[in-house]
């Protein structure tokens, strides 16, 4: 079938559409069915906020009409009022600064140590043989279970809380780092050696940048773990902090405050995820 | 400076890969090594450049490399081996950074090798933005920047399509006319060997032994004007290699 023939048929069809001899030829002309759809992500930026607002409205209506019992769940407006209280009294800054201090110190130290130990495991076979099994053995232990020990070792104050977060962030970072280094293209390392680069240059310019994507995805996990542990640690012997606030609200069955606290945590988590996303875009520009 | 393999033999476990190979690469000379796949060409090149120790014999250097050579034996890899997180310029810069060259001189070298490989306008591009041929140009620019006494090229054009390969071969010939590098050039493509080699060393199938050495005395720049002669040499080489290649193809092995 030549293209010319089809065009001819198509152009003539309107004129003698009723022509008996043309009809079958026209019937044969139809587009190839398209089968390539689906399985491709398209970005829908508005869906999530819209859905969220819709849920809030439904929830508010449910509470107002008494469909949702006030004892079971406070109305969003009440939680918002509790949040407003926090701002009015200025307590929000006390809680937030206490929590952020623990989170930032614990997570940063844990991540730095984790990267250092992860690199050591990846680069020195002796360290790998000696330390890697310990990491595997200690990683799955919930660090909250160790909190009493940490309190004995580091005191009931900031020390034990920071230590809990530090250890929580440490292990996933170690594993992400040495996994990342193991996956660096061996050919690139061989290239570095063949040009006579020093050991330190190869580590700094080839191995670490090559492991960076894995380390940054490790950060996503370790940051979430850090937030979970933050709340847990603040539930013991903390005066201020989002965790302490939530615990206090729970003890008084002030569910509006409890929801307000949980919302704060959620915002904290989103902020951290956003920051890591920014860091990824900045540091991994070369991936495009 | 001359690079010499002196009765080199090598095995992996009980598989003998190279058997008593002796050859030399003189200065300003391109020696092409051809042979069926799996016959030990890459192994030979690794031994020649000191990335691997042979079981028997030795890789030797006769004479001193030029004093301004930063890395006398420099590889060009089949898969380019560019750092994806460095731009074209950064990839060349990488191999100069450990030598304590001052900034201005470094910039000068980079500009020079990028110009020679026709990459000047791509200095700030990322490797992912480049075609295969461009990437190999960057790798060649990087190799030139350390002013090598000998380039060790392991199938540098094998990952490229045939048109790009032709273009790059022309560029290599031009480049050789300008800087007169010496090279040990591995390929399984006889057309490349006939176009670029002053001398062609043919290896047998595993264990690799030298089967034949062919000298071509038509100057590189003029080979394009002598299609009959080069085609005749290529045909003769293929006659000699065909049975080896067929047998090698039917062997069970984990060819790297
Ligand atoms: N590191 C290695 N360990 C074991 N066997 C190897 C290794 N490198 C290469 N070989 C074997 O040696 C033979 C020659 O390999 P190679 O030098 O890569 O051949 P070529 O480059 O000619 O295709 C192959 O059979 C391959 O399986
Ligand atoms: Mg090979």
């Amino acid at each position: 079938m030549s293209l010319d023939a089809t065009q001819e048929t198509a152009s003539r069809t309107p004129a003698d559409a009723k022509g008996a001899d043309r009809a079958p030829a026209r019937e044969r002309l139809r587009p190839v069915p398209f089968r390539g759809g689906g399985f491709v992500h398209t970005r829908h930026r508005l869906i999530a906020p819209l859905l969220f607002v819709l849920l809030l409205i439904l929830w508010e209506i449910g509470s107002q009409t008494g469909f949702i019992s006030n004892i079971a769940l406070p109305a969003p407006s009440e939680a918002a009022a509790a949040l407003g209280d926090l701002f009015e009294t200025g307590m929000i800054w006390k809680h937030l600064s206490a929590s952020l201090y623990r989170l930032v110190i614990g997570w940063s130290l844990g991540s730095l140590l984790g990267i250092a130990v992860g690199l050591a495991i990846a680069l020195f076979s002796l360290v790998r043989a000696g330390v890697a099994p310990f990491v595997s053995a200690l990683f799955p232990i919930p660090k909250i279970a160790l909190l009493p020990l940490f309190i004995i070792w580091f005191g009931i104050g900031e020390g034990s809380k920071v230590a809990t977060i530090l250890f929580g962030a440490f292990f996933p970072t170690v594993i992400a780092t040495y996994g990342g280094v193991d996956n660096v293209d061996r050919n690139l390392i061989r290239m570095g050696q063949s040009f006579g680069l020093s050991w330190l240059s190869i580590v700094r310019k080839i191995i670490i940048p090559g492991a960076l994507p894995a380390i940054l995805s490790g950060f996503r996990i370790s940051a979430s773990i850090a937030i979970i542990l933050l709340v847990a640690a603040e539930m013991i012997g903390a005066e201020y902090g989002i965790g302490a606030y939530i615990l206090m609200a729970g003890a008084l069955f002030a569910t509006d405050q409890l929801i307000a606290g949980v919302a704060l945590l959620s915002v904290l988590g989103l902020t951290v995820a956003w920051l890591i996303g920014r860091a990824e875009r900045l540091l991994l520009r070369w991936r495009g | 400076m001359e690079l010499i393999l002196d009765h080199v033999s090598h095995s992996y476990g009980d598989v003998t890969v190279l058997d008593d190979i002796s050859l030399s690469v003189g200065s300003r000379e391109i020696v092409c090594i051809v042979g069926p796949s799996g016959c030990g060409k890459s192994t030979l090149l690794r031994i020649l450049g000191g990335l691997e120790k042979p079981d028997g014999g030795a890789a030797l250097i006769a004479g001193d490399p030029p004093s301004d050579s930063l890395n006398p034996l420099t590889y060009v890899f089949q898969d380019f081996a560019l750092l994806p997180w460095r731009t074209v310029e950064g990839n060349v810069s990488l191999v100069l950074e450990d030598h304590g060259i001052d900034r201005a001189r470094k910039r000068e070298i980079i500009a020079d090798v990028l110009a020679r490989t026709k990459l000047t306008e791509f200095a700030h591009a990322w490797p992912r933005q480049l075609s295969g041929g461009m990437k190999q140009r960057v790798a060649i620019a990087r190799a030139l920047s350390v002013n090598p006494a000998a380039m060790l090229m392991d199938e540098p054009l094998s990952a490229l399509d045939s048109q790009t390969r032709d273009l790059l071969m022309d560029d290599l010939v031009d480049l050789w006319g300008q800087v007169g590098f010496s090279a040990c050039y591995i390929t399984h493509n006889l057309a490349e060997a006939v176009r670029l080699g002053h001398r062609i060393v043919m290896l047998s199938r595993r264990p690799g032994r030298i089967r034949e050495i062919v000298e071509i005395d038509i100057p590189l720049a003029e080979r394009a004007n002598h299609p009959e002669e080069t085609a005749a040499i290529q045909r003769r080489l293929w006659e000699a290699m065909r049975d080896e290649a067929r047998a090698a193809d039917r062997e069970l092995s984990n060819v790297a």
Side-chain angles (χ1 to χ4, degrees), chain A residues 187 194 198 201 205-206 286, chain B residues 71 74 79 84-85 97-98 128:
Chain A
N187 287 335
S194 80
S198 67
S201 276
K205 296 169 187 170
I206 299 179
W286 49 273
Chain B
N71 189 47
T74 298
D79 67 353
W85 47 87
E97 285 162 13
D98 276 8
R128 74 179 146 81

Side-chain angles (χ1 to χ4, degrees), chain A residues 34-143:
Chain A
F34 175 65
R35 295 174 291 175
F39 303 107
V40 179
H41 283 291
T42 37
R43 282 183 90 164
H44 302 289
R45 284 172 169 280
L46 286 176
I47 293 285
L50 279 179
L51 206 60
F52 180 68
V53 170
L54 186 72
L55 269 175
L56 277 185
I57 292 173
L58 284 179
W59 177 6
E60 183 69 38
I61 292 172
S63 297
Q64 297 288 353
T65 56
F67 181 72
I68 301 173
S69 148
N70 226 2
I71 297 165
L73 204 61
S77 54
E78 291 172 40
L83 209 57
D85 266 356
L86 270 178
F87 276 95
E88 244 164 63
T89 55
M91 287 304 284
I92 179 106
W93 309 121
K94 279 213 154 116
H95 291 305
L96 260 186
S97 61
S99 285
L100 280 180
Y101 169 83
R102 293 162 190 148
L103 194 66
V104 169
I105 305 251
W107 181 81
S108 316
L109 287 179
S111 296
L112 279 179
L113 283 174
I115 291 174
V117 172
L119 280 178
I121 288 179
L123 294 176
F124 307 108
S125 42
L126 216 67
V127 179
R128 173 175 304 224
V131 177
F134 282 98
V135 172
S136 305
L138 295 176
F139 182 33
I141 298 176
K143 305 304 168 292

Side-chain angles (χ1 to χ4, degrees), chain B residues 28-243:
Chain B
R28 294 179 63 86
E29 185 183 33
I30 300 180
V31 175
C32 286
I33 298 189
V34 296
S37 122
C39 75
K41 304 184 294 294
S42 297
T43 309
L44 184 150
L45 203 66
R46 281 200 297 274
I47 291 172
L48 200 55
L51 289 183
E52 193 145 1
K53 276 193 189 133
D55 291 344
L60 306 167
I61 299 175
D64 288 323
S67 57
D68 55 350
S69 176
L70 299 176
N71 189 47
L73 306 179
T74 298
Y75 282 90
V76 174
F77 300 93
Q78 180 178 352
D79 67 353
F80 324 129
L82 300 179
L83 302 184
W85 47 87
R86 284 192 176 222
T87 60
V88 168
E89 201 177 51
N91 266 287
V92 179
S93 165
L94 172 83
V95 299
L96 299 172
E97 285 162 13
D98 276 8
H99 294 285
I101 304 169
D102 68 72
R103 199 176 275 243
R105 175 80 189 114
K106 197 168 79 186
R107 204 166 293 158
E108 209 174 290
I109 296 177
I110 294 173
D112 177 54
V113 293
L114 290 187
R116 283 188 195 288
T117 47
K118 301 173 191 166
L119 286 167
T120 306
E121 59 193 295
F122 299 98
H124 302 289
W126 298 105
R128 74 179 146 81
Q129 301 173 303
L130 303 177
S131 66
M134 284 301 201
K135 284 184 195 160
Q136 195 55 290
R137 279 207 174 86
V138 178
I140 291 169
R142 177 177 63 188
L144 289 175
S145 74
V146 292
N147 194 12
M151 289 220 265
L152 307 175
M153 311 173 90
D154 192 354
E155 310 213 16
L157 306 186
S158 293
L160 307 176
D161 63 75
S162 66
Q163 287 132 33
T164 313
R165 196 181 315 170
D166 277 345
L167 291 174
L168 243 96
M169 273 196 268
D170 288 344
D171 287 350
L172 280 174
V173 169
D174 281 350
L175 210 55
W176 186 83
Q178 293 170 32
V179 288
F181 56 86
S182 44
C184 183
Y185 187 108
I186 304 259
T187 178
H188 61 252
N189 181 321
L190 296 175
E192 276 174 46
V194 170
R195 182 93 179 75
L196 296 172
H198 295 106
R199 206 141 42 96
I200 299 173
V201 176
M202 183 189 286
L203 298 185
S204 67
R205 70 172 190 271
R206 210 178 55 213
R209 296 192 182 96
I210 293 183
R211 253 203 72 153
E212 201 172 334
I213 297 182
V214 179
E215 306 245 2
I216 306 182
D217 39 21
I218 311 168
L220 289 191
E222 281 168 35
R223 294 212 181 150
N225 307 329
H226 295 267
E228 288 91 17
E229 285 98 321
T230 51
I233 299 169
Q234 188 177 334
R235 210 172 317 116
R236 199 160 58 71
L237 285 168
W238 175 233
E239 297 289 327
M241 197 164 114
R242 185 165 43 199
D243 296 335

